[in-house]
Amino acid sequence: MTTRRRAVTEDERGTAAERTRERILRAALEEFGAKGYSGARTAAIAARAGVNQQLISYHFGGKQGLLTELRRRWTETGAGLPPPESSFADSFAAVLDATLERPQWARMVLWQALGDDPGEGGGMSNAQREQLRDGIERLRRRQRDGEISDAPSPEFVMLLAYALTFAPLALPDHVAAILGVDPLSEDYRRIAHDQLMTLLRGPAPASDDACR
């Protein structure tokens, strides 16, 4: 007796296609994070995803389309950032978590910063520069309000926060050798957060006993 195969429904075809798209995007994220846009190859992405290379063109139009979709998703998630009214301590902790819990996304940022970008001119976009300027102004307000020390300039505070956030990805062996912890671990995040906040709180006020 011959068993008749059930016809695949449109919903099932759509679900299968979506799963394929997601596999391709996960593979592209790994490939771009490891090799940058220039070094990534669609054949390698297809191999990672376990799909025919032609499906990348079908679903995304090619390598550029993959990068565009990944960046759109990163922007939509807000990169795990807290609302602007959060304290600097909470904001920095959230940035550390968002960056180091998703290292492949962050490596894409590093590749772009090094100029490995298919867009005109590569590197940082005008929107990203504007975000940095806004961040510096928020730091300046925090200093005026007394939330953090005004001894360092807000520009240097911003630079230091970025350095602490991306050092585990750009210089993992150095971080491990200097601090003796896994660069992507919670131990590193705690050290980076606590030490930066110690610097930005400034010296503790002298006690009455010390003044006698």
Side-chain angles (χ1 to χ4, degrees):
M1 179 177 177
T2 302
T3 302
R4 300 179 64 180
R5 298 182 62 184
R6 181 177 64 84
V8 178
T9 67
E10 288 295 326
D11 285 345
E12 288 171 332
R13 275 195 288 268
T15 300
E18 186 58 30
R19 285 199 297 264
T20 298
R21 283 174 54 88
E22 293 302 314
R23 285 207 311 275
I24 292 172
L25 284 170
R26 287 194 297 270
L29 178 60
E30 293 291 326
E31 187 75 4
F32 289 146
K35 302 176 183 177
Y37 181 83
S38 298
R41 297 290 179 267
T42 54
I45 294 171
R48 282 179 184 265
V51 301
N52 188 298
Q53 186 175 343
Q54 292 179 338
L55 286 175
I56 294 177
S57 296
Y58 175 78
H59 287 292
F60 301 99
K63 190 166 74 167
Q64 171 66 72
L66 280 170
L67 184 64
T68 299
E69 176 60 15
L70 285 172
R71 286 183 174 167
R72 183 190 69 78
R73 292 189 176 200
W74 177 252
T75 301
E76 280 189 354
T77 64
L81 300 182
E85 62 271 15
S86 300
S87 69
F88 178 78
D90 288 345
S91 297
F92 182 56
V95 169
L96 281 174
D97 286 342
T99 302
L100 301 184
E101 287 177 1
R102 294 180 284 183
Q104 294 298 354
W105 290 98
R107 289 187 179 101
M108 286 179 57
V109 175
L110 288 175
W111 281 110
Q112 182 185 16
L114 291 170
D116 181 52
D117 190 294
E120 185 177 350
M124 184 175 291
S125 68
N126 289 333
Q128 289 170 319
R129 293 178 190 278
E130 185 63 30
Q131 288 175 349
L132 280 179
R133 287 192 288 268
D134 289 345
I136 290 170
E137 285 307 309
R138 284 197 298 273
L139 283 171
R140 202 183 308 278
R141 289 195 295 271
R142 293 179 190 279
Q143 289 177 320
R144 286 198 300 265
D145 294 342
E147 180 186 341
I148 58 176
S149 169
D150 62 357
S153 71
E155 292 84 0
F156 186 77
V157 174
M158 176 69 77
L159 179 61
L160 186 55
Y162 264 83
L164 289 170
T165 300
F166 284 96
L169 301 165
L171 300 166
D173 292 342
H174 290 71
V175 171
I178 292 169
L179 296 178
V181 298
D182 179 348
L184 299 181
S185 68
E186 291 187 5
D187 286 337
Y188 171 79
R189 296 176 220 175
R190 176 182 51 78
I191 292 170
H193 179 272
D194 291 353
Q195 290 298 308
L196 180 59
M197 294 313 302
T198 297
L199 289 173
L200 294 180
R201 278 194 294 267
S207 66
D208 292 339
D209 291 341
C211 296
R212 291 172 185 167

